[in-house]
Amino acid sequence: MTSIILAAFASALLARPLALRFAPHGGWIMALAPGGLFVALLMLGLGLPANGPLSETVEWVPALNVELTFRLDGFSWLFSLLITGIGTLVTIYAGAYFAEKSPEKGANFIALILLFMSAMLGTVLTDHLIVLYVFWELTSLVSFLLIGFDSYKASARKAALQSLIVTAGGGLALFAGILLIGLALDTYSLSEIATRGDELAASPLAPAILVLVLLGAFTKSAQVPFHFWLPGAMAAPTPASAYLHSATMVKLGVYLLARLDQPFSAMPAFGITLIVFGTATLIVGGVRALTQPGFKAILAHSTVGSLGLLVLLIGLEGDTAAIATIGFILGHALYKAALFFCAGTAIHATGRTEVTQMSGLATALPWTAAAAGLAAISMAGLPPMVAFIAKEYIFEAQLNAGTNWLVIALTVLGNAAFVMIALLASIGPFFRGRLAPLPLQHSEVAGMALGPVTLAGLSLLFGLAPALIAGPLIAPAASALVGAPVEVSFSLWHGFTPMLALSAVVVVLGIGLWLAWPSLLQRLQGGRLSHALGDAGYNFVFDGVLKIAKLSTRILQNGDQHRYGAIVLGATVVIVVAGLIAAAPPFALDTSLDGFRIGPAVILAFMVFGAVCAARLISLLGAVVAAGICGFGSALLFLLNGAPDLALTQFSVEVLVVVIMMALLLRLPVRRTLTRMRSERRMDALLSGAFAFLVFLALAAMTTMPLDLTLSDYYRATSYPEAFGRNVVNVILVDFRALDTMGEIAVIAFGAMTVWGLLRRRIRKTAGGAS
């Protein structure tokens, strides 16, 4: 599996130069990569039912207990085949889709698609939650690039940013949940977590884990109230839409929920939460589809509803629910990718985007029309397609689990919306008589017809011969979710059952919605309901954040350095004083003057004198010299207290600072003018005095507290055994605090380069005769 993932990333790396080299056939050539991975995974997974899951482990960050652990079981095998199989067709389709664009654009797009496929493969094949999170976030980043691929469009840029904010924000919540799982169980292994559900549920961290993980999964899978970003993602080019909406990123949240169903089901709130949010998402997706005239928009909202249905199914208990989940994942991936391909071909050919603007395309696009017809039958859940069998299992799972009648009724309504959308996506654009002559801009080509025909054909094949997938594919995947062997009897005919009756009700309601759709669209499009269920809330929050940012910038970042300093000093004083008041034990000072020494006191007096002079002198040169008194005084204090190395360092720094400041002052007026009013200077003095008094109190209070030598003892004990250095100070600087020291050196180096640049400019001017 490690070699498969490495090969996937290598193909993404090589995609651009190879696609350019073989243009305009780059899509066909690069499709060999996902196609080869599909074959490899197919062969690898065929032995799963007999031999059990396959696993590999490669050390990654041993110090943090992070390993590249990969595991192939029935569920990850199903996703891997969908990702690579549909990825192959998407790559071919993309090559044809961008054939008339610049070769660079098509090559860039194929490279992103293959990178996205690689990240998806990593996500579903890993057995380690930290690694899963890394690949998870990589899919968010790459989908951001795919959605915003047509960056010249404002709508694409907005949709890309919206998807990134929502999914990456949810990803942070997920990461926090993952860390809490690690704290609770001391493991990040998915397979081990699956066996310790009771222990996880008994943990005091369980409520926080549940909320954080659900946040991450819900944002990724576009569940209410985070559903709004997914329809916006249709701004991506059609090949990306087909990939995003069918089998990949949007199903990652579903994948994670299904993976964690086994351990999380011990938490009572898990199942009911999924049912509530899944049902709400199913209905919102259907209602939103009623208000959309756009071909891709209708399909995108149906994806929202489908994801809601999947989350609902995961919330149900029992083997039948697991089979229904697997069956619907497969059926949905096949028909949704096919329909998006068909929509892209129709839009590409006509230049129109709305289904109401298209008609009679079956004559000009026969293969696409045939694929759209079969895919629509599958989406409607009609026989003999595989999605019909999956729908029967959906209702059976609900009836077996004793689901509330209201949820069943809403599920019927949501599925009726799928029937309506299937009819809208097929009959109107392809099989309805031509309303007006449509000049075709592009004809049907093999690269764009292969994908939908293949997927629609597989939907039909798996429906007519369900034994092809029941034993080899559905059963291992369902068994992986349940954690025990599951018997699967996929067949088209189960007799006259309550499920068949519910399916008939779905079809009748769906046809009714389809007939009423024109008038519903006229009433609902752009209305309050559509506005409320869209991204109005996101826009309100986003615009509010921008207004707050502008207001805070205007107040805090107004270019007045004095105000910046006053805010920092004032805030520091207030926070520290509040801390001292609330401190326990109470703040105390030692006024006994034990250990008083005249030498340091004299030096401190000189330092105070230098500080006052630096603040009062109008001459900048004099101020720099006066400030230098403070620095040199500090060096003398180090020397008197037995730290000659620190004293020498302080001397060096002070000399360097004085030289740098003098060099800079050569370019400034020697005397400064007063820019502060009297009242402002009083406030400056008050803040400075308060801060200085606070520092004095803090230093004085330190002398009353017992000296904690824990850290000193640690350095003294470990400097030689661990860092092989006899000078403890040196060891601390170059070993224990190596990064900190490197940062300080970098700061000094950058400062020196800046000064050198200023001096060099001055020298050139002088050499050129300028003053």
Side-chain angles (χ1 to χ4, degrees), residues 78 310 313 321-333 386-387 389-391 393-394 469 474 490:
L78 168 69
L310 282 170
L313 289 173
I323 298 171
T325 303
I326 300 300
F328 189 62
I329 286 174
L330 176 63
H332 176 262
V386 68
I389 306 174
K391 191 170 65 176
Y393 267 103
I394 290 171
I469 56 172
I474 304 294
F490 248 42

mmCIF file with all atom_site columns, all heavy atoms in Angstrom, residues 78 310 313 321-333 386-387 389-391 393-394 469 474 490:
data_model
loop_
_atom_site.group_PDB
_atom_site.id
_atom_site.type_symbol
_atom_site.label_atom_id
_atom_site.label_alt_id
_atom_site.label_comp_id
_atom_site.label_asym_id
_atom_site.label_entity_id
_atom_site.label_seq_id
_atom_site.pdbx_PDB_ins_code
_atom_site.Cartn_x
_atom_site.Cartn_y
_atom_site.Cartn_z
_atom_site.occupancy
_atom_site.B_iso_or_equiv
_atom_site.pdbx_formal_charge
_atom_site.auth_seq_id
_atom_site.auth_comp_id
_atom_site.auth_asym_id
_atom_site.auth_atom_id
_atom_site.pdbx_PDB_model_num
ATOM 1   N N   . LEU A 1 78  ? -13.328 -0.536 -0.924 1.00 0.00 ? 78  LEU A N   1
ATOM 2   C CA  . LEU A 1 78  ? -14.419 0.047  -1.717 1.00 0.00 ? 78  LEU A CA  1
ATOM 3   C C   . LEU A 1 78  ? -14.093 1.494  -2.093 1.00 0.00 ? 78  LEU A C   1
ATOM 4   O O   . LEU A 1 78  ? -14.204 1.891  -3.266 1.00 0.00 ? 78  LEU A O   1
ATOM 5   C CB  . LEU A 1 78  ? -15.725 -0.011 -0.912 1.00 0.00 ? 78  LEU A CB  1
ATOM 6   C CG  . LEU A 1 78  ? -16.886 0.807  -1.483 1.00 0.00 ? 78  LEU A CG  1
ATOM 7   C CD1 . LEU A 1 78  ? -17.394 0.192  -2.769 1.00 0.00 ? 78  LEU A CD1 1
ATOM 8   C CD2 . LEU A 1 78  ? -18.024 0.917  -0.459 1.00 0.00 ? 78  LEU A CD2 1
ATOM 9   N N   . LEU A 1 310 ? -26.865 9.426  3.895  1.00 0.00 ? 310 LEU A N   1
ATOM 10  C CA  . LEU A 1 310 ? -25.796 8.535  4.351  1.00 0.00 ? 310 LEU A CA  1
ATOM 11  C C   . LEU A 1 310 ? -25.517 8.711  5.845  1.00 0.00 ? 310 LEU A C   1
ATOM 12  O O   . LEU A 1 310 ? -25.330 7.721  6.572  1.00 0.00 ? 310 LEU A O   1
ATOM 13  C CB  . LEU A 1 310 ? -24.518 8.798  3.538  1.00 0.00 ? 310 LEU A CB  1
ATOM 14  C CG  . LEU A 1 310 ? -24.481 8.201  2.139  1.00 0.00 ? 310 LEU A CG  1
ATOM 15  C CD1 . LEU A 1 310 ? -23.297 8.731  1.351  1.00 0.00 ? 310 LEU A CD1 1
ATOM 16  C CD2 . LEU A 1 310 ? -24.419 6.677  2.230  1.00 0.00 ? 310 LEU A CD2 1
ATOM 17  N N   . LEU A 1 313 ? -28.180 7.016  7.788  1.00 0.00 ? 313 LEU A N   1
ATOM 18  C CA  . LEU A 1 313 ? -28.016 5.554  7.805  1.00 0.00 ? 313 LEU A CA  1
ATOM 19  C C   . LEU A 1 313 ? -26.949 5.129  8.799  1.00 0.00 ? 313 LEU A C   1
ATOM 20  O O   . LEU A 1 313 ? -27.091 4.108  9.486  1.00 0.00 ? 313 LEU A O   1
ATOM 21  C CB  . LEU A 1 313 ? -27.657 5.058  6.403  1.00 0.00 ? 313 LEU A CB  1
ATOM 22  C CG  . LEU A 1 313 ? -28.780 5.109  5.361  1.00 0.00 ? 313 LEU A CG  1
ATOM 23  C CD1 . LEU A 1 313 ? -28.237 4.759  3.983  1.00 0.00 ? 313 LEU A CD1 1
ATOM 24  C CD2 . LEU A 1 313 ? -29.901 4.152  5.751  1.00 0.00 ? 313 LEU A CD2 1
ATOM 25  N N   . ALA A 1 321 ? -28.416 -1.701 8.187  1.00 0.00 ? 321 ALA A N   1
ATOM 26  C CA  . ALA A 1 321 ? -28.025 -0.293 7.993  1.00 0.00 ? 321 ALA A CA  1
ATOM 27  C C   . ALA A 1 321 ? -26.630 -0.213 7.370  1.00 0.00 ? 321 ALA A C   1
ATOM 28  O O   . ALA A 1 321 ? -26.376 0.639  6.504  1.00 0.00 ? 321 ALA A O   1
ATOM 29  C CB  . ALA A 1 321 ? -28.051 0.441  9.323  1.00 0.00 ? 321 ALA A CB  1
ATOM 30  N N   . ALA A 1 322 ? -25.735 -1.106 7.803  1.00 0.00 ? 322 ALA A N   1
ATOM 31  C CA  . ALA A 1 322 ? -24.385 -1.109 7.212  1.00 0.00 ? 322 ALA A CA  1
ATOM 32  C C   . ALA A 1 322 ? -24.439 -1.481 5.738  1.00 0.00 ? 322 ALA A C   1
ATOM 33  O O   . ALA A 1 322 ? -23.760 -0.863 4.891  1.00 0.00 ? 322 ALA A O   1
ATOM 34  C CB  . ALA A 1 322 ? -23.489 -2.080 7.976  1.00 0.00 ? 322 ALA A CB  1
ATOM 35  N N   . ILE A 1 323 ? -25.258 -2.486 5.396  1.00 0.00 ? 323 ILE A N   1
ATOM 36  C CA  . ILE A 1 323 ? -25.383 -2.876 3.985  1.00 0.00 ? 323 ILE A CA  1
ATOM 37  C C   . ILE A 1 323 ? -25.992 -1.747 3.169  1.00 0.00 ? 323 ILE A C   1
ATOM 38  O O   . ILE A 1 323 ? -25.551 -1.453 2.045  1.00 0.00 ? 323 ILE A O   1
ATOM 39  C CB  . ILE A 1 323 ? -26.249 -4.147 3.877  1.00 0.00 ? 323 ILE A CB  1
ATOM 40  C CG1 . ILE A 1 323 ? -25.575 -5.313 4.615  1.00 0.00 ? 323 ILE A CG1 1
ATOM 41  C CG2 . ILE A 1 323 ? -26.485 -4.519 2.420  1.00 0.00 ? 323 ILE A CG2 1
ATOM 42  C CD1 . ILE A 1 323 ? -26.465 -6.535 4.745  1.00 0.00 ? 323 ILE A CD1 1
ATOM 43  N N   . ALA A 1 324 ? -27.023 -1.089 3.742  1.00 0.00 ? 324 ALA A N   1
ATOM 44  C CA  . ALA A 1 324 ? -27.649 0.039  3.034  1.00 0.00 ? 324 ALA A CA  1
ATOM 45  C C   . ALA A 1 324 ? -26.650 1.163  2.807  1.00 0.00 ? 324 ALA A C   1
ATOM 46  O O   . ALA A 1 324 ? -26.622 1.794  1.736  1.00 0.00 ? 324 ALA A O   1
ATOM 47  C CB  . ALA A 1 324 ? -28.848 0.536  3.836  1.00 0.00 ? 324 ALA A CB  1
ATOM 48  N N   . THR A 1 325 ? -25.813 1.431  3.818  1.00 0.00 ? 325 THR A N   1
ATOM 49  C CA  . THR A 1 325 ? -24.804 2.489  3.679  1.00 0.00 ? 325 THR A CA  1
ATOM 50  C C   . THR A 1 325 ? -23.840 2.174  2.541  1.00 0.00 ? 325 THR A C   1
ATOM 51  O O   . THR A 1 325 ? -23.569 3.026  1.689  1.00 0.00 ? 325 THR A O   1
ATOM 52  C CB  . THR A 1 325 ? -24.019 2.638  5.003  1.00 0.00 ? 325 THR A CB  1
ATOM 53  O OG1 . THR A 1 325 ? -24.935 2.915  6.059  1.00 0.00 ? 325 THR A OG1 1
ATOM 54  C CG2 . THR A 1 325 ? -22.999 3.757  4.898  1.00 0.00 ? 325 THR A CG2 1
ATOM 55  N N   . ILE A 1 326 ? -23.328 0.965  2.531  1.00 0.00 ? 326 ILE A N   1
ATOM 56  C CA  . ILE A 1 326 ? -22.375 0.572  1.490  1.00 0.00 ? 326 ILE A CA  1
ATOM 57  C C   . ILE A 1 326 ? -23.035 0.603  0.111  1.00 0.00 ? 326 ILE A C   1
ATOM 58  O O   . ILE A 1 326 ? -22.476 1.111  -0.867 1.00 0.00 ? 326 ILE A O   1
ATOM 59  C CB  . ILE A 1 326 ? -21.817 -0.834 1.783  1.00 0.00 ? 326 ILE A CB  1
ATOM 60  C CG1 . ILE A 1 326 ? -21.094 -0.838 3.143  1.00 0.00 ? 326 ILE A CG1 1
ATOM 61  C CG2 . ILE A 1 326 ? -20.868 -1.263 0.673  1.00 0.00 ? 326 ILE A CG2 1
ATOM 62  C CD1 . ILE A 1 326 ? -19.941 0.104  3.229  1.00 0.00 ? 326 ILE A CD1 1
ATOM 63  N N   . GLY A 1 327 ? -24.246 0.044  0.037  1.00 0.00 ? 327 GLY A N   1
ATOM 64  C CA  . GLY A 1 327 ? -24.942 0.010  -1.251 1.00 0.00 ? 327 GLY A CA  1
ATOM 65  C C   . GLY A 1 327 ? -25.215 1.399  -1.799 1.00 0.00 ? 327 GLY A C   1
ATOM 66  O O   . GLY A 1 327 ? -25.039 1.655  -2.998 1.00 0.00 ? 327 GLY A O   1
ATOM 67  N N   . PHE A 1 328 ? -25.617 2.314  -0.904 1.00 0.00 ? 328 PHE A N   1
ATOM 68  C CA  . PHE A 1 328 ? -25.921 3.667  -1.386 1.00 0.00 ? 328 PHE A CA  1
ATOM 69  C C   . PHE A 1 328 ? -24.651 4.427  -1.750 1.00 0.00 ? 328 PHE A C   1
ATOM 70  O O   . PHE A 1 328 ? -24.652 5.239  -2.686 1.00 0.00 ? 328 PHE A O   1
ATOM 71  C CB  . PHE A 1 328 ? -26.717 4.425  -0.329 1.00 0.00 ? 328 PHE A CB  1
ATOM 72  C CG  . PHE A 1 328 ? -27.259 5.734  -0.825 1.00 0.00 ? 328 PHE A CG  1
ATOM 73  C CD1 . PHE A 1 328 ? -28.163 5.778  -1.879 1.00 0.00 ? 328 PHE A CD1 1
ATOM 74  C CD2 . PHE A 1 328 ? -26.852 6.933  -0.273 1.00 0.00 ? 328 PHE A CD2 1
ATOM 75  C CE1 . PHE A 1 328 ? -28.661 6.987  -2.359 1.00 0.00 ? 328 PHE A CE1 1
ATOM 76  C CE2 . PHE A 1 328 ? -27.335 8.143  -0.735 1.00 0.00 ? 328 PHE A CE2 1
ATOM 77  C CZ  . PHE A 1 328 ? -28.244 8.168  -1.789 1.00 0.00 ? 328 PHE A CZ  1
ATOM 78  N N   . ILE A 1 329 ? -23.565 4.191  -1.016 1.00 0.00 ? 329 ILE A N   1
ATOM 79  C CA  . ILE A 1 329 ? -22.289 4.841  -1.388 1.00 0.00 ? 329 ILE A CA  1
ATOM 80  C C   . ILE A 1 329 ? -21.898 4.436  -2.812 1.00 0.00 ? 329 ILE A C   1
ATOM 81  O O   . ILE A 1 329 ? -21.520 5.283  -3.634 1.00 0.00 ? 329 ILE A O   1
ATOM 82  C CB  . ILE A 1 329 ? -21.174 4.446  -0.388 1.00 0.00 ? 329 ILE A CB  1
ATOM 83  C CG1 . ILE A 1 329 ? -21.369 5.170  0.946  1.00 0.00 ? 329 ILE A CG1 1
ATOM 84  C CG2 . ILE A 1 329 ? -19.794 4.776  -0.964 1.00 0.00 ? 329 ILE A CG2 1
ATOM 85  C CD1 . ILE A 1 329 ? -20.404 4.733  2.025  1.00 0.00 ? 329 ILE A CD1 1
ATOM 86  N N   . LEU A 1 330 ? -22.014 3.161  -3.103 1.00 0.00 ? 330 LEU A N   1
ATOM 87  C CA  . LEU A 1 330 ? -21.647 2.672  -4.438 1.00 0.00 ? 330 LEU A CA  1
ATOM 88  C C   . LEU A 1 330 ? -22.614 3.201  -5.500 1.00 0.00 ? 330 LEU A C   1
ATOM 89  O O   . LEU A 1 330 ? -22.178 3.751  -6.530 1.00 0.00 ? 330 LEU A O   1
ATOM 90  C CB  . LEU A 1 330 ? -21.653 1.142  -4.445 1.00 0.00 ? 330 LEU A CB  1
ATOM 91  C CG  . LEU A 1 330 ? -21.374 0.480  -5.791 1.00 0.00 ? 330 LEU A CG  1
ATOM 92  C CD1 . LEU A 1 330 ? -19.980 0.828  -6.289 1.00 0.00 ? 330 LEU A CD1 1
ATOM 93  C CD2 . LEU A 1 330 ? -21.544 -1.044 -5.689 1.00 0.00 ? 330 LEU A CD2 1
ATOM 94  N N   . GLY A 1 331 ? -23.912 3.051  -5.243 1.00 0.00 ? 331 GLY A N   1
ATOM 95  C CA  . GLY A 1 331 ? -24.893 3.491  -6.233 1.00 0.00 ? 331 GLY A CA  1
ATOM 96  C C   . GLY A 1 331 ? -24.810 4.983  -6.495 1.00 0.00 ? 331 GLY A C   1
ATOM 97  O O   . GLY A 1 331 ? -24.851 5.431  -7.649 1.00 0.00 ? 331 GLY A O   1
ATOM 98  N N   . HIS A 1 332 ? -24.675 5.767  -5.432 1.00 0.00 ? 332 HIS A N   1
ATOM 99  C CA  . HIS A 1 332 ? -24.597 7.218  -5.587 1.00 0.00 ? 332 HIS A CA  1
ATOM 100 C C   . HIS A 1 332 ? -23.358 7.637  -6.360 1.00 0.00 ? 332 HIS A C   1
ATOM 101 O O   . HIS A 1 332 ? -23.406 8.523  -7.216 1.00 0.00 ? 332 HIS A O   1
ATOM 102 C CB  . HIS A 1 332 ? -24.596 7.878  -4.206 1.00 0.00 ? 332 HIS A CB  1
ATOM 103 C CG  . HIS A 1 332 ? -24.417 9.360  -4.251 1.00 0.00 ? 332 HIS A CG  1
ATOM 104 N ND1 . HIS A 1 332 ? -23.205 9.971  -4.045 1.00 0.00 ? 332 HIS A ND1 1
ATOM 105 C CD2 . HIS A 1 332 ? -25.293 10.358 -4.520 1.00 0.00 ? 332 HIS A CD2 1
ATOM 106 C CE1 . HIS A 1 332 ? -23.348 11.275 -4.156 1.00 0.00 ? 332 HIS A CE1 1
ATOM 107 N NE2 . HIS A 1 332 ? -24.600 11.545 -4.439 1.00 0.00 ? 332 HIS A NE2 1
ATOM 108 N N   . ALA A 1 333 ? -22.224 7.001  -6.059 1.00 0.00 ? 333 ALA A N   1
ATOM 109 C CA  . ALA A 1 333 ? -20.989 7.360  -6.771 1.00 0.00 ? 333 ALA A CA  1
ATOM 110 C C   . ALA A 1 333 ? -21.137 7.112  -8.270 1.00 0.00 ? 333 ALA A C   1
ATOM 111 O O   . ALA A 1 333 ? -20.705 7.925  -9.092 1.00 0.00 ? 333 ALA A O   1
ATOM 112 C CB  . ALA A 1 333 ? -19.821 6.561  -6.208 1.00 0.00 ? 333 ALA A CB  1
ATOM 113 N N   . VAL A 1 386 ? -28.675 -0.752 -9.674 1.00 0.00 ? 386 VAL A N   1
ATOM 114 C CA  . VAL A 1 386 ? -28.185 -1.168 -8.360 1.00 0.00 ? 386 VAL A CA  1
ATOM 115 C C   . VAL A 1 386 ? -28.698 -0.233 -7.270 1.00 0.00 ? 386 VAL A C   1
ATOM 116 O O   . VAL A 1 386 ? -28.889 -0.640 -6.110 1.00 0.00 ? 386 VAL A O   1
ATOM 117 C CB  . VAL A 1 386 ? -26.635 -1.222 -8.367 1.00 0.00 ? 386 VAL A CB  1
ATOM 118 C CG1 . VAL A 1 386 ? -26.037 0.160  -8.505 1.00 0.00 ? 386 VAL A CG1 1
ATOM 119 C CG2 . VAL A 1 386 ? -26.117 -1.900 -7.110 1.00 0.00 ? 386 VAL A CG2 1
ATOM 120 N N   . ALA A 1 387 ? -28.954 1.042  -7.625 1.00 0.00 ? 387 ALA A N   1
ATOM 121 C CA  . ALA A 1 387 ? -29.457 1.977  -6.618 1.00 0.00 ? 387 ALA A CA  1
ATOM 122 C C   . ALA A 1 387 ? -30.852 1.584  -6.133 1.00 0.00 ? 387 ALA A C   1
ATOM 123 O O   . ALA A 1 387 ? -31.247 1.951  -5.017 1.00 0.00 ? 387 ALA A O   1
ATOM 124 C CB  . ALA A 1 387 ? -29.480 3.391  -7.196 1.00 0.00 ? 387 ALA A CB  1
ATOM 125 N N   . ILE A 1 389 ? -31.805 -1.490 -5.461 1.00 0.00 ? 389 ILE A N   1
ATOM 126 C CA  . ILE A 1 389 ? -31.562 -2.445 -4.376 1.00 0.00 ? 389 ILE A CA  1
ATOM 127 C C   . ILE A 1 389 ? -31.132 -1.703 -3.108 1.00 0.00 ? 389 ILE A C   1
ATOM 128 O O   . ILE A 1 389 ? -31.569 -2.012 -1.997 1.00 0.00 ? 389 ILE A O   1
ATOM 129 C CB  . ILE A 1 389 ? -30.487 -3.462 -4.797 1.00 0.00 ? 389 ILE A CB  1
ATOM 130 C CG1 . ILE A 1 389 ? -30.871 -4.137 -6.116 1.00 0.00 ? 389 ILE A CG1 1
ATOM 131 C CG2 . ILE A 1 389 ? -30.255 -4.482 -3.714 1.00 0.00 ? 389 ILE A CG2 1
ATOM 132 C CD1 . ILE A 1 389 ? -29.808 -5.052 -6.687 1.00 0.00 ? 389 ILE A CD1 1
ATOM 133 N N   . ALA A 1 390 ? -30.262 -0.687 -3.307 1.00 0.00 ? 390 ALA A N   1
ATOM 134 C CA  . ALA A 1 390 ? -29.788 0.081  -2.153 1.00 0.00 ? 390 ALA A CA  1
ATOM 135 C C   . ALA A 1 390 ? -30.949 0.800  -1.470 1.00 0.00 ? 390 ALA A C   1
ATOM 136 O O   . ALA A 1 390 ? -31.017 0.859  -0.233 1.00 0.00 ? 390 ALA A O   1
ATOM 137 C CB  . ALA A 1 390 ? -28.735 1.086  -2.610 1.00 0.00 ? 390 ALA A CB  1
ATOM 138 N N   . LYS A 1 391 ? -31.891 1.327  -2.274 1.00 0.00 ? 391 LYS A N   1
ATOM 139 C CA  . LYS A 1 391 ? -33.021 2.041  -1.673 1.00 0.00 ? 391 LYS A CA  1
ATOM 140 C C   . LYS A 1 391 ? -33.914 1.086  -0.875 1.00 0.00 ? 391 LYS A C   1
ATOM 141 O O   . LYS A 1 391 ? -34.439 1.446  0.188  1.00 0.00 ? 391 LYS A O   1
ATOM 142 C CB  . LYS A 1 391 ? -33.828 2.744  -2.764 1.00 0.00 ? 391 LYS A CB  1
ATOM 143 C CG  . LYS A 1 391 ? -34.851 3.720  -2.193 1.00 0.00 ? 391 LYS A CG  1
ATOM 144 C CD  . LYS A 1 391 ? -35.476 4.570  -3.261 1.00 0.00 ? 391 LYS A CD  1
ATOM 145 C CE  . LYS A 1 391 ? -36.294 3.738  -4.208 1.00 0.00 ? 391 LYS A CE  1
ATOM 146 N NZ  . LYS A 1 391 ? -37.001 4.566  -5.205 1.00 0.00 ? 391 LYS A NZ  1
ATOM 147 N N   . TYR A 1 393 ? -32.877 -1.452 0.721  1.00 0.00 ? 393 TYR A N   1
ATOM 148 C CA  . TYR A 1 393 ? -32.167 -1.674 1.991  1.00 0.00 ? 393 TYR A CA  1
ATOM 149 C C   . TYR A 1 393 ? -32.286 -0.470 2.918  1.00 0.00 ? 393 TYR A C   1
ATOM 150 O O   . TYR A 1 393 ? -32.302 -0.615 4.147  1.00 0.00 ? 393 TYR A O   1
ATOM 151 C CB  . TYR A 1 393 ? -30.693 -1.982 1.718  1.00 0.00 ? 393 TYR A CB  1
ATOM 152 C CG  . TYR A 1 393 ? -30.400 -3.458 1.609  1.00 0.00 ? 393 TYR A CG  1
ATOM 153 C CD1 . TYR A 1 393 ? -30.201 -4.056 0.374  1.00 0.00 ? 393 TYR A CD1 1
ATOM 154 C CD2 . TYR A 1 393 ? -30.331 -4.257 2.744  1.00 0.00 ? 393 TYR A CD2 1
ATOM 155 C CE1 . TYR A 1 393 ? -29.940 -5.420 0.270  1.00 0.00 ? 393 TYR A CE1 1
ATOM 156 C CE2 . TYR A 1 393 ? -30.069 -5.608 2.652  1.00 0.00 ? 393 TYR A CE2 1
ATOM 157 C CZ  . TYR A 1 393 ? -29.877 -6.186 1.415  1.00 0.00 ? 393 TYR A CZ  1
ATOM 158 O OH  . TYR A 1 393 ? -29.630 -7.529 1.333  1.00 0.00 ? 393 TYR A OH  1
ATOM 159 N N   . ILE A 1 394 ? -32.346 0.737  2.341  1.00 0.00 ? 394 ILE A N   1
ATOM 160 C CA  . ILE A 1 394 ? -32.477 1.937  3.178  1.00 0.00 ? 394 ILE A CA  1
ATOM 161 C C   . ILE A 1 394 ? -33.774 1.886  3.988  1.00 0.00 ? 394 ILE A C   1
ATOM 162 O O   . ILE A 1 394 ? -33.775 2.087  5.215  1.00 0.00 ? 394 ILE A O   1
ATOM 163 C CB  . ILE A 1 394 ? -32.444 3.205  2.282  1.00 0.00 ? 394 ILE A CB  1
ATOM 164 C CG1 . ILE A 1 394 ? -31.049 3.412  1.714  1.00 0.00 ? 394 ILE A CG1 1
ATOM 165 C CG2 . ILE A 1 394 ? -32.876 4.440  3.085  1.00 0.00 ? 394 ILE A CG2 1
ATOM 166 C CD1 . ILE A 1 394 ? -30.981 4.495  0.648  1.00 0.00 ? 394 ILE A CD1 1
ATOM 167 N N   . ILE A 1 469 ? -21.172 -8.093 -7.077 1.00 0.00 ? 469 ILE A N   1
ATOM 168 C CA  . ILE A 1 469 ? -20.656 -7.198 -6.028 1.00 0.00 ? 469 ILE A CA  1
ATOM 169 C C   . ILE A 1 469 ? -21.084 -7.611 -4.622 1.00 0.00 ? 469 ILE A C   1
ATOM 170 O O   . ILE A 1 469 ? -20.466 -7.192 -3.647 1.00 0.00 ? 469 ILE A O   1
ATOM 171 C CB  . ILE A 1 469 ? -21.102 -5.742 -6.278 1.00 0.00 ? 469 ILE A CB  1
ATOM 172 C CG1 . ILE A 1 469 ? -22.634 -5.677 -6.376 1.00 0.00 ? 469 ILE A CG1 1
ATOM 173 C CG2 . ILE A 1 469 ? -20.443 -5.181 -7.531 1.00 0.00 ? 469 ILE A CG2 1
ATOM 174 C CD1 . ILE A 1 469 ? -23.159 -4.256 -6.427 1.00 0.00 ? 469 ILE A CD1 1
ATOM 175 N N   . ILE A 1 474 ? -19.645 -5.755 -1.406 1.00 0.00 ? 474 ILE A N   1
ATOM 176 C CA  . ILE A 1 474 ? -20.555 -5.226 -0.384 1.00 0.00 ? 474 ILE A CA  1
ATOM 177 C C   . ILE A 1 474 ? -20.342 -5.913 0.966  1.00 0.00 ? 474 ILE A C   1
ATOM 178 O O   . ILE A 1 474 ? -20.243 -5.244 2.004  1.00 0.00 ? 474 ILE A O   1
ATOM 179 C CB  . ILE A 1 474 ? -22.026 -5.403 -0.832 1.00 0.00 ? 474 ILE A CB  1
ATOM 180 C CG1 . ILE A 1 474 ? -22.244 -4.731 -2.198 1.00 0.00 ? 474 ILE A CG1 1
ATOM 181 C CG2 . ILE A 1 474 ? -22.968 -4.829 0.213  1.00 0.00 ? 474 ILE A CG2 1
ATOM 182 C CD1 . ILE A 1 474 ? -22.114 -3.252 -2.187 1.00 0.00 ? 474 ILE A CD1 1
ATOM 183 N N   . PHE A 1 490 ? -28.004 -9.456 -2.017 1.00 0.00 ? 490 PHE A N   1
ATOM 184 C CA  . PHE A 1 490 ? -28.389 -8.411 -2.968 1.00 0.00 ? 490 PHE A CA  1
ATOM 185 C C   . PHE A 1 490 ? -29.222 -9.052 -4.078 1.00 0.00 ? 490 PHE A C   1
ATOM 186 O O   . PHE A 1 490 ? -28.754 -9.967 -4.771 1.00 0.00 ? 490 PHE A O   1
ATOM 187 C CB  . PHE A 1 490 ? -27.128 -7.787 -3.567 1.00 0.00 ? 490 PHE A CB  1
ATOM 188 C CG  . PHE A 1 490 ? -26.912 -6.365 -3.134 1.00 0.00 ? 490 PHE A CG  1
ATOM 189 C CD1 . PHE A 1 490 ? -27.132 -5.977 -1.831 1.00 0.00 ? 490 PHE A CD1 1
ATOM 190 C CD2 . PHE A 1 490 ? -26.487 -5.402 -4.047 1.00 0.00 ? 490 PHE A CD2 1
ATOM 191 C CE1 . PHE A 1 490 ? -26.929 -4.670 -1.434 1.00 0.00 ? 490 PHE A CE1 1
ATOM 192 C CE2 . PHE A 1 490 ? -26.289 -4.096 -3.664 1.00 0.00 ? 490 PHE A CE2 1
ATOM 193 C CZ  . PHE A 1 490 ? -26.506 -3.728 -2.348 1.00 0.00 ? 490 PHE A CZ  1
#
